[in-house]
Amino acid sequence: MSPSAYTDMKNKAANLLLELLLCIIIFTLCAYICVSLFLKASSKSKEAALLCEGVLACRNVAEEIKALGNASSRKEGELSIEVEKSADEYLISAFDASGKIIYQLKVRPLYE
């Protein structure tokens, strides 16, 4: 085997290894991006479900206020619903387990 053939073979092997390394790096980067997108989508989905639950809970309390003229604070599922009366309106707030406000609603009773 001549020295130039050996050098060519060595260069081809080095180029092949470099190309494989580049493919692995690109694949790893793409996998990281995909996994982070799925995690973010899962987080957004949980937030949306919690918001929906908060809206429904506040709406139920508002319907109770409109029908009966009053309502009290309570716990519904994972949410804490607080009702505050000021003048002629009620402020209904839904809080998650950590105390973060999920949704707020102001309502006036139909009958006083």
Side-chain angles (χ1 to χ4, degrees), residues 14-109:
N15 287 340
L16 179 65
L17 286 176
L18 185 60
E19 186 178 340
L20 285 174
L21 184 62
L22 224 72
C23 288
I24 290 171
I25 290 172
I26 291 172
F27 174 77
T28 305
L29 182 64
C30 291
Y32 173 78
I33 290 170
C34 288
V35 168
S36 66
L37 285 175
F38 279 115
L39 289 176
K40 191 166 189 157
S42 174
S43 172
K44 289 286 185 187
S45 175
K46 288 177 185 174
E47 286 177 14
L50 194 59
L51 176 63
C52 184
E53 187 179 339
V55 169
L56 288 175
C58 288
R59 189 173 169 195
N60 288 341
V61 173
E63 292 295 329
E64 184 179 323
I65 290 171
K66 286 191 178 218
L68 303 175
N70 64 1
S72 60
S73 298
R74 65 183 86 164
K75 187 152 179 77
E76 287 193 18
E78 297 177 16
L79 301 176
S80 298
I81 308 300
E82 291 187 9
V83 180
E84 298 174 19
K85 184 175 182 179
S86 62
D88 63 338
E89 48 182 37
Y90 290 84
L91 177 65
I92 307 164
S93 303
F95 296 91
D96 65 1
S98 66
K100 179 181 164 191
I101 293 178
I102 300 298
Y103 187 74
Q104 284 187 325
L105 179 67
K106 282 187 179 179
V107 66
R108 291 187 181 150

